[in-house]
Amino acid sequence: MPRERARSDPRWADVAATLAALRGRRRHAVRIVDTDCGCGTLLIAALAHARSLGFTAIEGRGLDRSPACLGRARRAAAALHDPAIGVAFDATDVATALGEEAEAPADILLCRAVPACGMAAGRGVIADRHADAIQ
């Protein structure tokens, strides 16, 4: 069920395509940051998908302000049981975290809307194209 929810996210096709393109360039490591991770559904699915494509060093970082959501995300991530995948979930100010990320940009930066994202924090920014119209 969580994977189906992740794949219904409007960003999923771009996530899958970006991971495939990185792997096609013979990349073995990937780093993904999700700025509004909620319960971690999309991030965890992206990490698992990266592993299924053959990445051997996968790092994820989820950011959210809700301790309850982050707790659920941590519990869900514990089910990955794969030493190639490392993931952390942080309750932090997104602007501060993106400033830190800009020092060593992630391969994929997931966010709801591009202006809120901080383009320098990721080499590839994937935003919900419909979020700007909703806000």
Side-chain angles (χ1 to χ4, degrees), residues 2-124:
R3 282 211 181 155
E4 287 134 16
R5 278 197 314 255
R7 291 181 179 175
S8 69
D9 186 293
R11 298 168 291 173
W12 178 255
D14 291 336
V15 170
T18 301
L19 287 169
L22 289 168
R23 197 60 192 109
R25 292 195 302 264
R26 301 191 183 277
R27 289 280 305 273
H28 294 279
V30 65
R31 188 159 177 277
I32 305 169
V33 174
D34 188 346
T35 63
D36 185 23
C37 70
C39 296
T41 305
L42 181 61
L43 179 58
I44 292 168
L47 299 173
H49 187 66
R51 186 66 171 130
S52 74
L53 292 174
F55 285 92
T56 56
I58 304 157
E59 181 182 340
R61 182 180 184 198
L63 308 171
D64 204 284
R65 290 181 180 233
S66 168
C69 285
L70 291 171
R72 288 193 292 276
R74 288 181 186 113
R75 285 190 296 279
L80 289 172
H81 300 295
D82 191 325
I85 300 173
V87 62
F89 293 96
D90 301 319
T92 185
D93 175 65
V94 171
T96 301
L98 291 177
E100 296 165 0
E101 293 295 332
E103 293 175 22
D107 296 297
I108 299 173
L109 179 65
L110 302 172
C111 56
R112 292 284 169 204
V114 173
C117 219
M119 301 290 285
R123 291 183 187 97

